[in-house]
């Protein structure tokens, strides 16, 4: 059983910073892409940023220059450093990972339960 658990959300004023963490645990053979998505009230879930096992990143234009994704492959963790936060960054942030649980199984997309980020103006 694979689990993703996020931490680090909270309330911050505009211009502030937060750092999110996501830990993958359970039976894991390999982890391909890891990423962060967010969902604001009334909106669809959207990609914020992602990173491959080799370190290639892909980010939404709205967060480029402000958010940085990183990962620790040895610890099966991914991080999101968010700087210069704005009220429009408010939402539930979800960790996502493409994981192959064992050498005999296919890759599957796993999701965390999400962590709330609220940016006040």
């Amino acid at each position: 059983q694979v689990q993703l658990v996020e931490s680090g959300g909270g309330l911050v004023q505009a211009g502030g910073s937060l750092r999110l963490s996501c830990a993958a645990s359970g039976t894991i053979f390999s982890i391909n892409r890891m990423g962060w998505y967010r969902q604001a009230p009334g909106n669809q879930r959207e990609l914020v940023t992602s990173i491959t096992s080799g370190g290639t990143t892909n980010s939404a234009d709205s967060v480029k220059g402000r958010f940085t994704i990183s990962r620790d492959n040895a610890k099966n963790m991914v991080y999101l450093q968010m700087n210069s936060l704005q009220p429009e960054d408010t939402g539930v942030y979800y960790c996502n990972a493409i994981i192959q649980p064992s050498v005999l199984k296919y890759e599957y997309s796993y999701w965390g339960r999400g962590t709330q980020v609220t940016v006040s103006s």
Side-chain angles (χ1 to χ4, degrees):
Q1 191 81 359
V2 174
Q3 278 191 321
L4 298 181
V5 178
E6 303 100 335
S7 61
L11 173 65
V12 64
Q13 288 189 333
S17 299
L18 282 175
R19 186 178 190 240
L20 305 183
S21 300
C22 173
S25 63
T27 303
I28 297 172
F29 175 70
S30 67
I31 303 179
N32 191 345
R33 185 174 58 86
M34 303 184 83
W36 292 93
Y37 288 71
R38 68 186 177 192
Q39 187 167 18
N43 290 359
Q44 290 187 332
R45 192 174 299 187
E46 63 177 3
L47 173 69
V48 176
T49 184
S50 65
I51 184 169
T52 67
S53 57
T56 300
T57 62
N58 178 41
S59 300
D61 289 342
S62 61
V63 306
K64 287 179 180 178
R66 300 188 299 123
F67 292 10
T68 302
I69 189 171
S70 61
R71 64 189 282 176
D72 185 331
N73 292 330
K75 295 181 179 179
N76 291 337
M77 293 197 68
V78 64
Y79 308 95
L80 181 63
Q81 177 65 43
M82 303 185 291
N83 298 329
S84 302
L85 282 160
Q86 300 300 317
E88 51 265 35
D89 295 316
T90 295
V92 179
Y93 282 68
Y94 296 91
C95 177
N96 172 262
I98 309 301
I99 296 174
Q100 184 178 3
S102 75
V103 67
L104 298 178
K105 294 185 177 181
Y106 292 109
E107 289 182 332
Y108 187 77
S109 179
Y110 293 88
W111 292 90
R113 289 190 169 187
T115 184
Q116 178 70 43
V117 171
T118 303
V119 184
S120 63
S121 57

